[in-house]
Amino acid sequence: MTTEELKSLYLDFFGQKGHAVIPGASLIPENDPTVLFTTAGMHPLVPFLMGETHPAGKRLVNCQKCIRTGDIGEVGDATHLTFFEMLGNWSLGDYFKREAIGWSFEFLTDRRWLGFDSGQLHVTVFAGDDLAPPDEESAALWEELGIPGERIYYLDRSENWWGPAGATGPCGPDTEMFVDTGAPACGEGCRPGCGCGKYFEVWNDVFLSFNRLPDGTYAPLDRVCVDTGMGVERTVAMMNGYRSIYQVPVLDTLAGFVRKLCGAGDRPGPDALRSIRVVADHIRTSVQILGDDLGVPPSNLDQGYVLRRLIRVAIRHARKLGIDDPFTEAMARLAIETEKSSYPELQRNRERILTEIAREEEQFGKTLRAGLREYEKLLPGLLRNPARIIPGRIAFRLHDTYGFPVEFTVGLAAEHGLRVDMDGYQAAFDKHRELSRKGAERKFSGGLADHSAIVTRLHTATHLLHQALRMVLGEHVEQRGSNITHERLRFDFSHPEKLTEEQVREVEAIVNRVIDADLPVACEEMTAEEAGRRGAIGLFGDRYGDRVKVYTVGEFSCEICGGPHVTRTGELGRFRIVSEKSSSSGIRRIRAVLEAT
Ligand code: SER
């Protein structure tokens, strides 16, 4: 069975049960700041699950593209992917447990549909706790359908309670369906939910009966709803008797591409197999993020940062496999070909996908070598330390200066039998963010800021410089500090090495060209999330929903900033860089002036 066949069977089945087929939503949630990506089919439906009327009615069905990165460390095993498709059916205050469970059973076991042997089915239900009672009703319904008690497992909240997708929203107990692959149990406690691969989860029926409030308590919903989700890749794997989801055609095609590039043959060893699968998964997901109509480019923020990590981790695994030449663009081309019939947006956004993925690979290649050299310098010292641990501040420096996603450092470390102090890394990360925020507050603290004409001009010149540096050196360049006096601007930014004379002149020339073009400078207020979506650079607030000012200079630059700025770049005069030197490790400092013309 192919994924297309499964999808059409599911939509037909629920169509026959009175459900309207609705289109899937974007991977980038609209109007929902609580999550970065659409993680389940229910996610775009939250307002309707909460009581709004859906124009298509009370019974809905669809196929939704989803991204989950919570289990990214498991990618490469038999069942985990970061991008996957989910079939789902919903009752918006219409049917409840009896119909939902009955139809799940019928679709899974009836020969006209999937025809699984009901003897292979194991189900789990919510065991109950202080906040909600055990879901005996669901267990009784399964028994009525012929699933004996020993194949019904009562599990706790961590396993059998779903949602909300963000911190607040609809949630409730669920019942999950697993197919026993027939593999031997891994031990005494082996049961559905065990990661050994014996039980494959295929479907989840959630009974949305509570709303989680911001204070962490649960309020019963007046109108209960059903939300179900069937993983397409997992179910197709089960239907075809595959031992892993990486045998599903689209993934098999991408993994085949990697196998061929690295010459691994059909039977790679376990480490190589895992790397091949990670590359296949991460490039597929990256193509989907870039190819979504609301897609974002790689950046150091939110979805863009997840994308950057996926591409960089894929490159690291490719290097481990001995693939040293650029490969992402060719692989993205294959991914687009393979999935464009299901997702025509990939074809629409083809140019963006190919350009951005190749650019990220090239940029990362530049800092990668410098970062690896730095890491190798540190290695003997790290290996001498009996704790065999990489301190958090070092992992943070590799991230901050060389653009190593922390997973990347974790992977490198593991190859040398080292661990990364993740708490220390997080602490260094938070401290840095706090310092940036305080710096920004100081800099833009209303009355204290200097709004004189020259300072205003230098503020705008700083934006032009920031953008020009990113164009000349790459997008790893980020502001690390800025200070403006009546005489000059000073700008600190992340970059691992001294700029060449040529680069300095090129940056200067770009800024002066923008000045000559007399571009308009505009300011708009928006949420930090919206600013991120527009690709704004600069310091973001800590929370979504914070309103920020975004200054754009024509099409040239888009940056979050408190201002003040000139209204046209023609007001600036001549821009000249007077010095470029190191400020601290991995941070360069430029001083520049504006001269009268
Ligand atoms: N929201 C539930 C899940 O993701 C069912 O769709 O599993």
Side-chain angles (χ1 to χ4, degrees):
M1 175 177 285
T2 65
T3 50
E4 289 314 311
E5 282 161 359
L6 172 66
K7 289 189 239 178
S8 90
L9 275 179
Y10 191 98
L11 300 180
D12 276 0
F13 177 83
F14 283 100
Q16 289 181 20
K17 310 284 183 200
H19 291 64
V21 181
I22 57 166
S26 165
L27 270 178
I28 315 282
E30 282 179 276
N31 308 321
D32 184 347
T34 60
V35 287
L36 291 179
F37 293 104
T38 299
T39 56
M42 63 91 79
H43 192 218
L45 294 172
V46 167
F48 308 102
L49 295 165
M50 295 297 294
E52 266 179 46
T53 308
H54 195 287
K58 290 182 175 179
R59 296 184 181 190
L60 309 175
V61 61
N62 83 356
C63 180
Q64 175 64 50
K65 48 183 182 174
C66 302
I67 288 184
R68 289 189 191 173
T69 53
D71 292 332
I72 197 164
E74 320 276 314
V75 169
D77 70 0
T79 56
H80 284 89
L81 299 171
T82 52
F83 172 90
F84 61 97
E85 300 182 282
M86 185 187 275
L87 288 159
N89 55 287
W90 291 274
S91 154
L92 305 178
D94 188 41
Y95 59 85
F96 204 44
K97 294 184 184 178
R98 174 169 291 279
E99 293 83 347
I101 290 178
W103 289 335
S104 289
F105 183 80
E106 182 183 348
F107 185 69
L108 284 174
T109 60
D110 193 295
R111 285 193 182 285
R112 280 177 305 152
W113 305 102
L114 299 192
F116 279 114
D117 168 6
S118 70
Q120 282 178 286
L121 274 192
H122 292 244
V123 300
T124 61
V125 297
F126 180 53
D129 59 16
D130 299 348
L131 297 167
D135 190 2
E136 276 155 7
E137 190 185 346
S138 292
L141 288 165
W142 284 118
E143 280 199 68
E144 245 179 68
L145 291 165
I147 306 286
E150 65 269 20
R151 282 194 269 124
I152 302 173
Y153 306 76
Y154 280 88
L155 302 182
D156 67 17
R157 181 171 292 265
S158 67
E159 311 251 13
N160 275 77
W161 183 272
W162 210 87
T168 57
C171 53
D174 64 17
T175 177
E176 299 186 8
M177 289 146 262
F178 292 79
V179 175
D180 182 352
T181 60
C186 65
E188 279 273 302
C190 188
R191 53 154 178 79
C194 170
C196 75
K198 177 173 173 60
Y199 300 100
F200 244 74
E201 181 194 339
V202 291
W203 206 346
N204 182 15
D205 290 356
V206 187
F207 305 114
L208 297 169
S209 29
F210 293 90
N211 181 19
R212 187 167 196 269
L213 304 174
D215 66 4
T217 58
Y218 294 87
L221 287 175
D222 299 338
R223 194 191 62 146
V224 292
C225 295
V226 174
D227 152 43
T228 92
M230 167 180 271
V232 171
E233 290 85 349
R234 287 186 182 188
T235 307
V236 166
M238 275 299 90
M239 290 299 294
N240 292 320
Y242 298 152
R243 295 233 297 278
S244 110
I245 32 178
Y246 289 90
Q247 286 171 276
V248 170
V250 48
L251 289 151
D252 189 49
T253 302
L254 294 174
F257 175 91
V258 183
R259 269 200 305 272
K260 205 150 142 214
L261 265 191
C262 69
D266 285 340
R267 295 198 166 275
D271 284 350
L273 178 65
R274 202 181 129 74
S275 288
I276 290 167
R277 289 172 169 181
V278 170
V279 178
D281 170 83
H282 286 14
I283 297 295
R284 179 188 189 209
T285 306
S286 302
V287 165
Q288 288 283 357
I289 297 175
L290 283 163
D292 193 281
D293 284 330
L294 300 177
V296 294
S299 73
N300 283 342
L301 192 80
D302 299 339
Q303 290 98 345
Y305 186 53
V306 174
L307 171 61
R308 170 160 284 167
R309 277 160 52 190
L310 289 166
I311 299 174
R312 292 182 172 197
V313 170
I315 292 171
R316 187 182 86 81
H317 280 277
R319 293 280 196 279
K320 273 173 69 179
L321 292 164
I323 302 169
D324 290 318
D325 292 330
F327 70 97
T328 58
E329 187 180 339
M331 197 168 164
R333 214 172 268 134
L334 180 63
I336 297 169
E337 264 330 291
T338 319
E339 299 212 80
K340 69 181 185 198
S341 57
S342 301
Y343 297 104
E345 59 271 33
L346 299 182
Q347 182 62 22
R348 272 200 297 284
N349 300 315
R350 181 186 166 85
E351 281 317 304
R352 175 170 72 203
I353 300 172
L354 298 179
T355 316
E356 292 289 351
I357 207 161
R359 181 185 300 167
E360 180 66 15
E361 184 172 15
E362 193 193 327
Q363 264 175 21
F364 187 44
K366 281 191 204 150
T367 48
L368 184 60
R369 269 187 298 277
L372 285 175
R373 270 201 305 275
E374 169 81 9
Y375 174 77
E376 271 152 25
K377 260 196 272 165
L378 296 168
L379 194 56
L382 295 170
L383 290 173
R384 273 197 300 277
N385 176 347
R388 301 190 85 72
I389 201 152
I390 300 192
R393 67 187 156 74
I394 292 188
F396 180 71
R397 179 142 59 87
L398 289 168
H399 156 80
D400 196 37
T401 310
Y402 299 101
F404 281 24
V406 71
E407 295 85 351
F408 190 109
T409 308
V410 168
L412 267 181
E415 284 163 34
H416 299 109
L418 297 167
R419 277 186 315 111
V420 174
D421 169 13
M422 289 304 289
D423 291 342
Y425 168 79
Q426 195 55 46
F429 191 93
D430 292 345
K431 186 168 152 212
H432 165 80
R433 200 168 53 166
E434 181 61 14
L435 286 176
S436 313
R437 198 169 56 76
K438 283 213 181 103
E441 275 166 8
R442 248 199 323 279
K443 186 164 145 212
F444 302 126
S445 53
L448 292 178
D450 181 343
H451 288 203
S452 68
I454 177 64
V455 168
T456 304
R457 289 205 291 274
L458 286 164
H459 264 302
T460 308
T462 303
H463 282 212
L464 304 187
L465 169 64
H466 190 176
Q467 178 59 24
L469 285 167
R470 288 165 68 91
M471 288 163 72
V472 173
L473 304 176
E475 287 184 13
H476 59 277
V477 168
E478 279 202 331
Q479 173 167 342
R480 287 286 177 268
S482 163
N483 171 277
I484 291 174
T485 68
H486 284 210
E487 284 75 42
R488 52 108 185 110
L489 67 85
R490 194 181 78 200
F491 185 68
D492 293 351
F493 59 99
S494 48
H495 184 62
E497 57 208 23
K498 182 161 182 59
L499 272 62
T500 62
E501 185 58 26
E502 212 171 76
Q503 287 170 329
V504 171
R505 294 305 143 224
E506 200 182 334
V507 168
E508 229 173 41
I510 292 175
V511 173
N512 281 318
R513 274 205 296 279
V514 175
I515 293 175
D516 291 341
D518 195 21
L519 298 181
V521 180
C523 176
E524 227 185 297
E525 265 199 35
M526 60 186 79
T527 60
E529 190 211 3
E530 173 63 18
R533 196 173 295 148
R534 296 203 195 172
I537 53 176
L539 299 167
F540 277 73
D542 268 351
R543 282 181 306 113
Y544 285 106
D546 280 354
R547 294 197 71 79
V548 293
K549 277 190 189 172
V550 173
Y551 278 91
T552 49
V553 180
E555 302 265 279
F556 179 74
S557 127
C558 176
E559 179 160 354
I560 292 190
C561 173
H565 286 281
V566 301
T567 49
R568 300 198 73 92
T569 57
E571 298 166 37
L572 296 186
R574 225 38 359 216
F575 174 80
R576 188 163 66 80
I577 292 178
V578 289
S579 67
E580 187 280 331
K581 55 186 191 189
S582 166
S583 147
S584 60
S585 167
I587 311 285
R588 309 297 304 174
R589 169 168 287 181
I590 280 182
R591 285 193 167 81
V593 295
L594 287 171
E595 294 170 337
T597 42

